[in-house]
Amino acid sequence: MRSPRLIWLVFPSFLLVTIASVAVVSFYAARTMKGFFYTRTEAELIDRAKLAAVKLKDLLSAGDAAQLDALCKLLGRESHMRLTIVGPDGGVLGDSEESPTAMENHLGRPEITAAANNPVNVGASRRYSDTVKAELFYAAVAIREGERLLGFVRVALPTDTIDTETRGMLQRIGLFAALVGVAAAAVSLWLSHRLIHPLEELRRGAERFSRGDLAHRVRGGNTAEIAAVADSLNQMAAALDQRIGELVQQRNEGQAVLSSMVEGVIAVDSHQRVISMNHACARLLGTDAARAAGRQLQEVVRNPDLQQLVSGVLVGQKAIAQEIMLHHQGERQIEAHASVLRDAADREIGVLLVLHDVTRLRKLENMRRDFVANVSHELRTPITSIKGFVETLLDGAVEDPNDAKRFLHIVAAQTDRLEAIIEDLLLLSRVEEEHEHAEPTLETGQIQAVIQAAISVCQLKAEEKQVRLEAQCDPSLHALINPTLLEQALVNLIDNAVKHSGEQQTVRVEAELMPDELQIRVCDNGCGIPREHLSRIFERFYRVDKARSRSLGGTGLGLAIVKHIAQYHRGRATVESTLGKGSTFCLHLPRPEPASD
Ligand code: ADP
């Protein structure tokens, strides 16, 4: 129910109290006035009766009834009063209004009895008169001559003259009371407003505070009490403002920390509804952080392992770490840590999940494992071969000089192979190490010189196979390079090209400055590479034809070394090949800066 407004409580009360006070005062004043009039009239009547008594005493003493009656009528007419003269026995001797003979004995009249018995010889009463048919005020005076009672003079006045006068007075009091009432109502209204206006001001101020306008200040009002309340409200608002400011700052800092985290963080309540998540988590789960809030976890991400993990923490109340797979944007391996989420009062309110994307880490681990397995496998083949031939020699083959020589040649070849693998491995690890942990040591060098150096290394092998090596390079072409490493990369590429070319064919090495890079290409017209192998050709130990590669003395690391050397120069290596027609391997290096004068 709506509460009444304060003004409708205060104003009517003020008005009621004022009207009641005015009414009581008016009523009391009217009564007092009427009593005063009666007393005054009574006293006046007694005085008049005494006055008449002085005039009539002689006639009364002489017993002249006719004269008495005549004088009575004269005095009554002149004074507008009824005048009656009563004898000591109560018989009426004269009356201003009636004939005395027609009037009954008056000894029993209260005013006469009172005057007869009163030591000061006066009596008064107010009652209805049968003679004049109206209520009259009577005053009687006993006239004595010494101890002898001569009679009574009685004067009477109709009460209605007093009543008329009193009514007039009452009307004036009533009018005045009404005026006072109206004035009091106006003053009460004004007072109520004056009292309520500051309260209204407080209410409006409190409303603005509740709407969040805490910078607003409530005005003090006109009384000490209201000023104190306004002061307290203002202080409360200022304190709230400061506290909210601190909380907002704390929240922003917390959010900034969460947003900047690489790990995905998600908080769910005990019903597995999402409380909040950071951007990294939204990215991992492929959702929107704002839209996920308040929704069930399984609605946000359909992953039974994740749900089981959360349920496990909710049931067991202890932290759990587990690796799970997410299938958003391909397969992602996630290391998830789930722990109990507690509020400020240390109550358990849900689960906090921290998701760490370990896909790359696991991939690297797998690569490392594969690499170790590959290295072991690559090393085992020559070692097994060496071991086999050495055992054969020990078993007696050494006795036959031809066999011994042939076997030792094989052992020497396998040892060369082992050496080649180990050298390639060492080179690869050196390039990788330098690339990852140190700034590459690059210097401005002539590209043509490096190409020529690489060609002269491969020249012998090429001649053996009657393969022509051609170079095409502008001698002025210079770039930021590590000449030794770049030469090694070109040797690997030219060596491969020679190996996979047929006799009499040509291998071309060309360097060209493109608009945005420097390209060094090694082109052959050899056997080419099947399309399905092209994407993996630069992986370590990846070979198109394992047996052929080994028979050609390949380690399977040549192109991996080329790729790393290209990356060392902040570039990349690519291949284009058509089966049966030949291949072109290209080193894309950053375009050299124009020389400054
Ligand atoms: P390998 O030591 O076996 O040559 P590489 O890493 O240098 O190892 O080469 C990987 C594989 O790529 C080789 O086994 C070969 O099958 C293929 N390959 C490399 N260069 C060429 C080329 N110029 N023409 C055809 N195939 C090539």
Short mmCIF file of all heavy atoms in Angstrom, two decimals, residues 424 492-493 495-501 524 526-529 537-539 541-546 548-550 553-560 577 582-583 585, ligand 1:
data_model
loop_
_atom_site.label_atom_id
_atom_site.label_comp_id
_atom_site.label_asym_id
_atom_site.label_seq_id
_atom_site.Cartn_x
_atom_site.Cartn_y
_atom_site.Cartn_z
N ASP A 424 76.16 -33.51 -40.58
CA ASP A 424 74.90 -32.82 -40.90
C ASP A 424 74.10 -32.50 -39.63
O ASP A 424 73.55 -31.41 -39.48
CB ASP A 424 74.04 -33.69 -41.84
CG ASP A 424 74.45 -33.47 -43.28
OD1 ASP A 424 75.39 -32.67 -43.50
OD2 ASP A 424 73.85 -34.09 -44.18
N ASN A 492 74.31 -28.02 -50.69
CA ASN A 492 73.29 -29.07 -50.51
C ASN A 492 72.35 -29.11 -51.70
O ASN A 492 72.02 -30.19 -52.21
CB ASN A 492 72.47 -28.82 -49.23
CG ASN A 492 73.27 -29.14 -47.97
OD1 ASN A 492 74.46 -29.43 -48.06
ND2 ASN A 492 72.62 -29.07 -46.83
N LEU A 493 71.88 -27.92 -52.13
CA LEU A 493 70.90 -27.86 -53.23
C LEU A 493 71.54 -28.33 -54.55
O LEU A 493 70.94 -29.11 -55.29
CB LEU A 493 70.35 -26.43 -53.39
CG LEU A 493 69.42 -25.96 -52.26
CD1 LEU A 493 69.02 -24.50 -52.46
CD2 LEU A 493 68.18 -26.84 -52.17
N ASP A 495 74.19 -30.21 -54.89
CA ASP A 495 74.51 -31.63 -54.75
C ASP A 495 73.27 -32.49 -55.04
O ASP A 495 73.35 -33.47 -55.79
CB ASP A 495 75.01 -31.87 -53.32
CG ASP A 495 75.55 -33.29 -53.14
OD1 ASP A 495 76.39 -33.69 -53.97
OD2 ASP A 495 75.09 -33.97 -52.21
N ASN A 496 72.13 -32.09 -54.46
CA ASN A 496 70.88 -32.81 -54.72
C ASN A 496 70.54 -32.77 -56.21
O ASN A 496 70.16 -33.78 -56.80
CB ASN A 496 69.71 -32.18 -53.95
CG ASN A 496 69.65 -32.71 -52.52
OD1 ASN A 496 70.32 -33.69 -52.21
ND2 ASN A 496 68.85 -32.06 -51.69
N ALA A 497 70.68 -31.56 -56.79
CA ALA A 497 70.32 -31.38 -58.21
C ALA A 497 71.18 -32.29 -59.09
O ALA A 497 70.68 -32.95 -60.00
CB ALA A 497 70.49 -29.92 -58.60
N VAL A 498 72.48 -32.34 -58.76
CA VAL A 498 73.39 -33.19 -59.55
C VAL A 498 72.97 -34.65 -59.37
O VAL A 498 72.87 -35.41 -60.35
CB VAL A 498 74.85 -32.96 -59.12
CG1 VAL A 498 75.78 -34.01 -59.72
CG2 VAL A 498 75.30 -31.56 -59.48
N LYS A 499 72.69 -35.03 -58.10
CA LYS A 499 72.35 -36.43 -57.80
C LYS A 499 71.12 -36.88 -58.57
O LYS A 499 71.02 -38.01 -59.01
CB LYS A 499 72.11 -36.59 -56.29
CG LYS A 499 73.40 -36.84 -55.52
CD LYS A 499 73.13 -37.37 -54.13
CE LYS A 499 72.68 -36.26 -53.21
NZ LYS A 499 72.59 -36.66 -51.80
N HIS A 500 70.15 -35.95 -58.68
CA HIS A 500 68.87 -36.35 -59.29
C HIS A 500 68.77 -35.96 -60.76
O HIS A 500 67.68 -36.04 -61.32
CB HIS A 500 67.69 -35.77 -58.48
CG HIS A 500 67.63 -36.35 -57.10
ND1 HIS A 500 68.23 -35.75 -56.02
CD2 HIS A 500 67.10 -37.51 -56.64
CE1 HIS A 500 68.04 -36.47 -54.95
NE2 HIS A 500 67.34 -37.57 -55.29
N SER A 501 69.88 -35.51 -61.35
CA SER A 501 69.88 -35.20 -62.78
C SER A 501 70.45 -36.37 -63.56
O SER A 501 71.27 -37.15 -63.02
CB SER A 501 70.74 -33.96 -63.06
OG SER A 501 70.14 -32.83 -62.53
N ASP A 524 67.15 -27.82 -61.93
CA ASP A 524 67.66 -28.98 -62.66
C ASP A 524 66.57 -29.53 -63.57
O ASP A 524 65.41 -29.15 -63.45
CB ASP A 524 68.15 -30.05 -61.67
CG ASP A 524 67.04 -30.64 -60.84
OD1 ASP A 524 66.15 -31.31 -61.42
OD2 ASP A 524 67.05 -30.43 -59.59
N GLY A 526 66.11 -32.84 -63.77
CA GLY A 526 66.18 -34.23 -63.35
C GLY A 526 64.83 -34.91 -63.24
O GLY A 526 63.86 -34.53 -63.90
N CYS A 527 64.80 -35.89 -62.27
CA CYS A 527 63.61 -36.75 -62.18
C CYS A 527 62.38 -36.05 -61.61
O CYS A 527 61.25 -36.48 -61.81
CB CYS A 527 63.95 -37.98 -61.33
SG CYS A 527 64.48 -37.53 -59.68
N GLY A 528 62.59 -34.97 -60.89
CA GLY A 528 61.45 -34.25 -60.29
C GLY A 528 60.92 -34.97 -59.05
O GLY A 528 61.37 -36.07 -58.72
N ILE A 529 60.00 -34.34 -58.38
CA ILE A 529 59.48 -34.89 -57.10
C ILE A 529 57.96 -35.02 -57.22
O ILE A 529 57.29 -34.06 -57.64
CB ILE A 529 59.83 -33.95 -55.93
CG1 ILE A 529 61.36 -33.71 -55.89
CG2 ILE A 529 59.34 -34.49 -54.59
CD1 ILE A 529 61.76 -32.50 -55.08
N ILE A 537 59.04 -32.16 -47.91
CA ILE A 537 60.38 -32.42 -48.40
C ILE A 537 61.47 -31.78 -47.51
O ILE A 537 62.58 -32.27 -47.42
CB ILE A 537 60.49 -31.94 -49.87
CG1 ILE A 537 61.64 -32.67 -50.59
CG2 ILE A 537 60.69 -30.46 -50.00
CD1 ILE A 537 61.12 -33.87 -51.31
N PHE A 538 61.10 -30.66 -46.80
CA PHE A 538 62.10 -29.97 -45.98
C PHE A 538 62.19 -30.52 -44.55
O PHE A 538 62.93 -30.00 -43.73
CB PHE A 538 61.80 -28.46 -45.93
CG PHE A 538 62.06 -27.77 -47.24
CD1 PHE A 538 61.03 -27.51 -48.14
CD2 PHE A 538 63.36 -27.39 -47.59
CE1 PHE A 538 61.28 -26.88 -49.35
CE2 PHE A 538 63.62 -26.76 -48.80
CZ PHE A 538 62.57 -26.51 -49.69
N GLU A 539 61.36 -31.58 -44.23
CA GLU A 539 61.43 -32.17 -42.88
C GLU A 539 62.70 -33.01 -42.76
O GLU A 539 63.20 -33.55 -43.77
CB GLU A 539 60.22 -33.08 -42.63
CG GLU A 539 58.95 -32.29 -42.40
CD GLU A 539 57.75 -33.22 -42.25
OE1 GLU A 539 57.95 -34.41 -41.91
OE2 GLU A 539 56.63 -32.74 -42.47
N PHE A 541 65.09 -35.97 -42.24
CA PHE A 541 65.08 -37.39 -42.60
C PHE A 541 63.94 -37.76 -43.55
O PHE A 541 63.64 -38.94 -43.69
CB PHE A 541 65.02 -38.30 -41.35
CG PHE A 541 66.21 -38.14 -40.45
CD1 PHE A 541 66.08 -37.64 -39.16
CD2 PHE A 541 67.48 -38.49 -40.91
CE1 PHE A 541 67.18 -37.49 -38.34
CE2 PHE A 541 68.58 -38.33 -40.08
CZ PHE A 541 68.44 -37.83 -38.80
N TYR A 542 63.29 -36.75 -44.13
CA TYR A 542 62.22 -37.09 -45.08
C TYR A 542 62.85 -37.34 -46.44
O TYR A 542 63.59 -36.52 -46.97
CB TYR A 542 61.19 -35.96 -45.16
CG TYR A 542 59.94 -36.40 -45.91
CD1 TYR A 542 58.92 -37.05 -45.24
CD2 TYR A 542 59.84 -36.23 -47.28
CE1 TYR A 542 57.79 -37.50 -45.92
CE2 TYR A 542 58.73 -36.68 -47.98
CZ TYR A 542 57.70 -37.31 -47.28
OH TYR A 542 56.60 -37.74 -47.96
N ARG A 543 62.51 -38.48 -46.98
CA ARG A 543 63.05 -38.82 -48.30
C ARG A 543 61.92 -39.31 -49.19
O ARG A 543 60.98 -39.94 -48.70
CB ARG A 543 64.09 -39.92 -48.19
CG ARG A 543 65.32 -39.53 -47.39
CD ARG A 543 66.15 -40.78 -47.28
NE ARG A 543 67.41 -40.53 -46.62
CZ ARG A 543 67.64 -40.92 -45.38
NH1 ARG A 543 66.69 -41.50 -44.67
NH2 ARG A 543 68.82 -40.71 -44.85
N VAL A 544 62.05 -39.03 -50.49
CA VAL A 544 61.02 -39.51 -51.42
C VAL A 544 61.24 -41.01 -51.64
O VAL A 544 60.32 -41.80 -51.52
CB VAL A 544 61.10 -38.74 -52.76
CG1 VAL A 544 60.11 -39.30 -53.77
CG2 VAL A 544 60.84 -37.26 -52.53
N ASP A 545 62.46 -41.34 -51.86
CA ASP A 545 62.78 -42.75 -52.09
C ASP A 545 63.97 -43.08 -51.18
O ASP A 545 65.12 -42.72 -51.48
CB ASP A 545 63.13 -42.94 -53.58
CG ASP A 545 63.46 -44.40 -53.90
OD1 ASP A 545 63.74 -45.17 -52.94
OD2 ASP A 545 63.45 -44.75 -55.09
N LYS A 546 63.67 -43.77 -50.07
CA LYS A 546 64.70 -43.99 -49.04
C LYS A 546 65.92 -44.72 -49.61
O LYS A 546 67.06 -44.30 -49.44
CB LYS A 546 64.10 -44.80 -47.88
CG LYS A 546 63.34 -43.93 -46.94
CD LYS A 546 63.13 -44.65 -45.63
CE LYS A 546 62.60 -43.65 -44.69
NZ LYS A 546 61.40 -43.60 -44.18
N ARG A 548 66.98 -45.13 -52.65
CA ARG A 548 67.76 -44.38 -53.64
C ARG A 548 68.61 -43.32 -52.94
O ARG A 548 69.78 -43.12 -53.27
CB ARG A 548 66.78 -43.74 -54.64
CG ARG A 548 67.52 -43.07 -55.77
CD ARG A 548 66.65 -42.94 -56.99
NE ARG A 548 67.47 -42.38 -58.06
CZ ARG A 548 67.41 -41.12 -58.45
NH1 ARG A 548 66.55 -40.29 -57.88
NH2 ARG A 548 68.19 -40.70 -59.40
N SER A 549 68.00 -42.66 -51.97
CA SER A 549 68.70 -41.61 -51.24
C SER A 549 69.95 -42.16 -50.59
O SER A 549 71.04 -41.60 -50.70
CB SER A 549 67.78 -40.98 -50.20
OG SER A 549 68.55 -40.31 -49.24
N ARG A 550 69.76 -43.34 -49.92
CA ARG A 550 70.91 -43.93 -49.23
C ARG A 550 71.98 -44.34 -50.24
O ARG A 550 73.16 -44.11 -50.01
CB ARG A 550 70.46 -45.13 -48.40
CG ARG A 550 69.67 -44.71 -47.18
CD ARG A 550 69.85 -45.64 -46.01
NE ARG A 550 69.00 -45.15 -44.93
CZ ARG A 550 67.80 -45.61 -44.68
NH1 ARG A 550 67.31 -46.60 -45.41
NH2 ARG A 550 67.10 -45.11 -43.70
N GLY A 553 74.13 -41.74 -51.14
CA GLY A 553 74.92 -41.18 -50.03
C GLY A 553 74.22 -40.05 -49.31
O GLY A 553 74.86 -39.28 -48.60
N GLY A 554 72.90 -39.97 -49.42
CA GLY A 554 72.15 -38.89 -48.75
C GLY A 554 71.90 -39.20 -47.29
O GLY A 554 71.83 -40.35 -46.89
N THR A 555 71.83 -38.15 -46.50
CA THR A 555 71.57 -38.32 -45.06
C THR A 555 70.10 -38.04 -44.73
O THR A 555 69.65 -38.32 -43.62
CB THR A 555 72.43 -37.34 -44.24
OG1 THR A 555 72.08 -36.02 -44.63
CG2 THR A 555 73.90 -37.60 -44.46
N GLY A 556 69.37 -37.42 -45.65
CA GLY A 556 67.97 -37.04 -45.37
C GLY A 556 67.90 -35.75 -44.59
O GLY A 556 66.83 -35.33 -44.15
N LEU A 557 69.05 -35.10 -44.40
CA LEU A 557 69.05 -33.86 -43.61
C LEU A 557 69.37 -32.64 -44.47
O LEU A 557 69.23 -31.50 -44.00
CB LEU A 557 70.09 -33.96 -42.48
CG LEU A 557 69.78 -34.98 -41.39
CD1 LEU A 557 71.01 -35.20 -40.52
CD2 LEU A 557 68.61 -34.51 -40.55
N GLY A 558 69.78 -32.84 -45.71
CA GLY A 558 70.24 -31.75 -46.58
C GLY A 558 69.24 -30.62 -46.69
O GLY A 558 69.58 -29.44 -46.46
N LEU A 559 68.00 -30.94 -47.03
CA LEU A 559 66.99 -29.88 -47.22
C LEU A 559 66.57 -29.23 -45.89
O LEU A 559 66.24 -28.05 -45.85
CB LEU A 559 65.77 -30.42 -47.97
CG LEU A 559 66.02 -30.74 -49.45
CD1 LEU A 559 64.74 -31.23 -50.12
CD2 LEU A 559 66.55 -29.53 -50.20
N ALA A 560 66.61 -30.04 -44.79
CA ALA A 560 66.30 -29.46 -43.46
C ALA A 560 67.35 -28.40 -43.14
O ALA A 560 67.02 -27.32 -42.61
CB ALA A 560 66.28 -30.55 -42.41
N SER A 577 58.31 -28.37 -58.50
CA SER A 577 58.85 -29.54 -59.20
C SER A 577 57.77 -30.20 -60.06
O SER A 577 56.60 -30.23 -59.68
CB SER A 577 59.39 -30.54 -58.17
OG SER A 577 59.98 -31.62 -58.84
N GLY A 582 61.90 -32.00 -63.83
CA GLY A 582 62.93 -31.31 -63.06
C GLY A 582 62.36 -30.49 -61.91
O GLY A 582 61.15 -30.39 -61.74
N SER A 583 63.29 -29.96 -61.11
CA SER A 583 62.87 -29.22 -59.90
C SER A 583 63.60 -27.89 -59.82
O SER A 583 64.71 -27.75 -60.35
CB SER A 583 63.22 -30.01 -58.64
OG SER A 583 62.89 -31.36 -58.80
N PHE A 585 64.63 -25.35 -56.71
CA PHE A 585 64.64 -24.99 -55.28
C PHE A 585 65.03 -23.53 -55.20
O PHE A 585 65.91 -23.07 -55.90
CB PHE A 585 65.65 -25.86 -54.53
CG PHE A 585 65.14 -27.24 -54.26
CD1 PHE A 585 65.27 -28.23 -55.24
CD2 PHE A 585 64.52 -27.56 -53.07
CE1 PHE A 585 64.78 -29.50 -55.01
CE2 PHE A 585 64.04 -28.84 -52.83
CZ PHE A 585 64.16 -29.82 -53.81
P1 ADP B 1 69.08 -36.55 -49.04
O1 ADP B 1 70.31 -36.56 -48.22
O2 ADP B 1 68.37 -37.82 -49.05
O3 ADP B 1 69.30 -35.92 -50.34
P2 ADP B 1 67.67 -34.18 -48.61
O4 ADP B 1 67.02 -33.57 -47.40
O5 ADP B 1 68.72 -33.36 -49.23
O6 ADP B 1 68.12 -35.60 -48.24
O7 ADP B 1 66.54 -34.44 -49.69
C1 ADP B 1 65.36 -35.04 -49.29
C2 ADP B 1 64.76 -35.82 -50.43
O8 ADP B 1 64.28 -34.92 -51.41
C3 ADP B 1 65.71 -36.65 -51.15
O9 ADP B 1 65.77 -37.93 -50.59
C4 ADP B 1 65.14 -36.70 -52.54
O10 ADP B 1 64.21 -37.73 -52.62
C5 ADP B 1 64.41 -35.41 -52.68
N1 ADP B 1 65.15 -34.43 -53.51
C6 ADP B 1 65.97 -33.45 -53.07
N2 ADP B 1 66.45 -32.67 -54.06
C7 ADP B 1 65.91 -33.18 -55.20
C8 ADP B 1 66.02 -32.84 -56.58
N3 ADP B 1 66.78 -31.83 -56.99
N4 ADP B 1 65.33 -33.59 -57.45
C9 ADP B 1 64.58 -34.62 -57.03
N5 ADP B 1 64.44 -35.00 -55.76
C10 ADP B 1 65.10 -34.29 -54.83
#
